Amino acid sequence: MIVRKLFHALPVFALTLFILVLLDLQLRSRNDQNPTAPFAHEKTPSISRTTAVTQQRDVVKNKQIPKRQKWRQIKPQPPLELTDIFIAVKTTGRFHNTRLALLLETWISETKDHTYIFTDSPAEEVSSEGFNIIVTDCPPEHSHQALSCKMAAEYDHFMASDKMWLCHVDDDNYLNPRALLSLLEAFPADSDIYVGKPSLDRPMRAQELLEGNKTRDVHFWFATGGAGFCLSRKLAEKMAPWARGPRFEQTSAVIMLPDDCTVGFIVERRLGISMVHSNMFHSHLENLLLLVPSDIPKQVTLSYGWFENKMNSVELKGVFTKDEDPSRFRTVHCLLYSTTSWCPVALKRALSWNQHVLP
Ligand code: UDP
Ligand code: MN
């Protein structure tokens, strides 16, 4: 009798067991496919830092995370500060008293502690004022090799520092520190970022030298050095095999192009990482008159230079005439930092941006 009852119950029991196993399997696979909200920010560049931090806190609270996902937990990152940025300025002896002096008086006075000036001639006077001057062994020339030599020095010094970002500018760039910070803090911490502005509207074409005197065509985007660009530490670390020590100049020789193109080549071709194109960087290769005055304070970099016997600079009204301030860097600086000692009192009392910049 008992045996018969058992015999009838067996299929029901087996079916129940089968359903339970099936349910369990389904639940597990759903968990694996969908790491769910705590991790969703990892691949969303537009997410704000605050949201990311809140989500990271949620990760820590969530004890249900499957074991094999635990490695993905990230420590909360403190917010990025301006002093986390290693600002490298490239200059040369003959521009110390002209171009460099203008930068020291304007934006570098606001970023002195974390701005490093790479040159080829001693500048004791400048160092004695507390500015960081790095006198390289690079030749004082505008050749590919000389420029790559300075870029290599910038890279090596940054790598030896504890900074989070390397931002390069030329000595004819105005760098707006607050705009730079806003740009960089929007990127997720610990991501591979190379951001700047291309000078061409298409990728650069180059001939890569191969062994046995062979060559091959390569295409890549690069950020023009004359407009400035930034590299995150994580990406800079990955660049080391082609950028550390003498390697940078060697890589530059492989494509027979200058320093800024070499950075683009390493990032896009050697590492397969795409450059982030930004319209906030400006070189004197573009028509700077096209920048709308009210947009100028938001730009990360500006520049100036002679083009066809005319000064190419931003058009900005202010108390300095074009003769007094041909680059317009002093005018921009007084608008951004009106309490600077040499900024005219009239400007300090400015009630609104419009009163001074619009005709
Ligand atoms: N530069 C240099 N050595 C030189 C000439 C220029 O290091 O012999 C630097 C200069 O200080 C600047 C950058 O290279 O930071 C670009 O130089 P410049 O603006 O004169 O030329 P561009 O390439 O913009 O036409
Ligand atoms: Mn220039």
Side-chain angles (χ1 to χ4, degrees):
M1 193 67 176
I2 295 169
V3 176
R4 245 175 95 183
K5 263 191 184 167
L6 263 177
F7 187 74
H8 281 292
L10 204 61
V12 181
F13 178 69
L15 194 72
T16 319
L17 198 69
F18 177 69
I19 290 168
L20 278 174
V21 168
L22 208 70
L23 262 173
D24 182 54
L25 269 175
Q26 216 169 10
L27 275 173
R28 272 167 205 256
S29 79
R30 213 184 276 177
N31 263 347
D32 284 353
Q33 277 163 22
N34 179 14
T36 69
F39 306 106
H41 68 278
E42 285 185 21
K43 287 189 177 165
T44 315
S46 58
I47 201 146
S48 77
R49 281 182 89 78
T50 349
T51 326
V53 169
T54 324
Q55 286 172 342
Q56 283 158 15
R57 271 197 221 114
D58 291 343
V59 172
V60 178
K61 272 193 233 152
N62 186 352
K63 300 243 168 71
Q64 304 296 314
I65 303 163
K67 246 191 190 159
R68 67 194 186 88
Q69 286 175 9
K70 282 201 172 156
W71 64 273
R72 298 177 82 184
Q73 292 179 17
I74 313 163
K75 274 192 225 148
Q77 300 274 345
L80 186 72
E81 287 177 24
L82 206 49
T83 50
D84 293 327
I85 307 169
F86 184 107
I87 305 172
V89 182
K90 178 167 67 187
T91 191
T92 184
R94 74 190 154 96
F95 293 146
H96 284 181
N97 295 330
T98 49
R99 294 184 184 195
L100 182 62
L102 175 61
L103 305 194
L104 299 180
E105 262 189 88
T106 56
W107 66 268
I108 299 184
S109 66
E110 300 292 329
T111 58
K112 199 171 178 175
D113 291 346
H114 55 108
T115 297
Y116 299 82
I117 298 150
F118 291 81
T119 187
D120 41 44
S121 329
E124 275 105 21
E125 242 179 71
V126 182
S127 321
S128 69
E129 285 172 38
F131 293 100
N132 304 304
I133 295 274
I134 292 151
V135 184
T136 63
D137 291 331
C138 305
E141 293 164 14
H142 199 266
S143 63
H144 291 179
Q145 192 264 328
L147 297 179
S148 290
C149 174
K150 273 184 199 153
M151 182 63 73
E154 292 179 21
Y155 176 85
D156 288 339
H157 276 82
F158 164 68
M159 291 305 282
S161 78
D162 60 353
K163 305 291 183 208
M164 302 302 296
W165 289 86
L166 164 62
C167 293
H168 156 91
V169 286
D170 277 357
D171 58 7
D172 49 4
N173 284 135
Y174 185 95
L175 182 134
N176 177 345
R178 289 194 282 250
L180 176 69
L181 183 63
S182 307
L183 173 82
L184 299 187
E185 70 186 358
F187 292 113
D190 276 340
S191 45
D192 295 322
I193 305 292
Y194 167 42
V195 58
K197 186 191 222 170
S199 53
L200 312 167
D201 56 5
R202 63 198 136 73
M204 180 74 187
R205 288 156 160 259
Q207 292 277 308
E208 180 186 348
L209 286 177
L210 303 171
E211 274 178 33
N213 257 354
K214 284 185 198 147
T215 59
R216 78 167 156 206
D217 283 345
V218 277
H219 295 184
F220 55 88
W221 288 99
F222 77 96
T224 187
F229 60 82
C230 298
L231 290 162
S232 65
R233 172 161 289 276
K234 188 147 177 249
L235 178 53
E237 278 166 6
K238 291 184 181 167
M239 292 167 67
W242 303 278
R244 194 179 34 211
R247 300 277 179 84
F248 192 88
E249 277 184 64
Q250 289 162 6
T251 310
S252 182
V254 163
I255 48 163
M256 298 166 284
L257 287 172
D259 53 342
D260 48 1
C261 302
T262 307
V263 174
F265 173 72
I266 298 173
V267 174
E268 293 224 330
R269 297 296 313 189
R270 291 291 187 244
L271 293 169
I273 292 165
S274 297
M275 167 189 163
V276 177
H277 298 211
S278 166
N279 269 334
M280 313 273 261
F281 295 80
H282 303 277
S283 80
H284 56 79
L285 295 175
E286 66 183 79
N287 183 357
L288 293 161
L289 283 176
L290 297 179
L291 264 174
V292 181
S294 57
D295 282 343
I296 292 172
K298 298 174 215 154
Q299 305 309 305
V300 173
T301 63
L302 301 170
S303 188
Y304 69 100
W306 291 96
F307 181 71
E308 290 177 350
N309 282 333
K310 270 185 128 185
M311 172 55 81
N312 177 20
S313 60
V314 292
E315 185 141 282
L316 193 60
K317 287 213 167 28
V319 288
F320 298 113
T321 64
K322 279 196 179 169
D323 283 341
E324 288 167 334
D325 184 26
S327 68
R328 309 313 281 155
F329 282 9
R330 288 177 199 282
T331 309
V332 170
H333 191 72
C334 287
L335 280 159
L336 294 174
Y337 299 95
S338 61
T339 55
T340 305
S341 63
W342 49 262
C343 289
V345 176
L347 202 63
K348 281 186 202 168
R349 290 204 190 122
L351 291 170
S352 73
W353 168 256
N354 286 358
Q355 270 185 325
H356 291 272
V357 293
L358 298 177

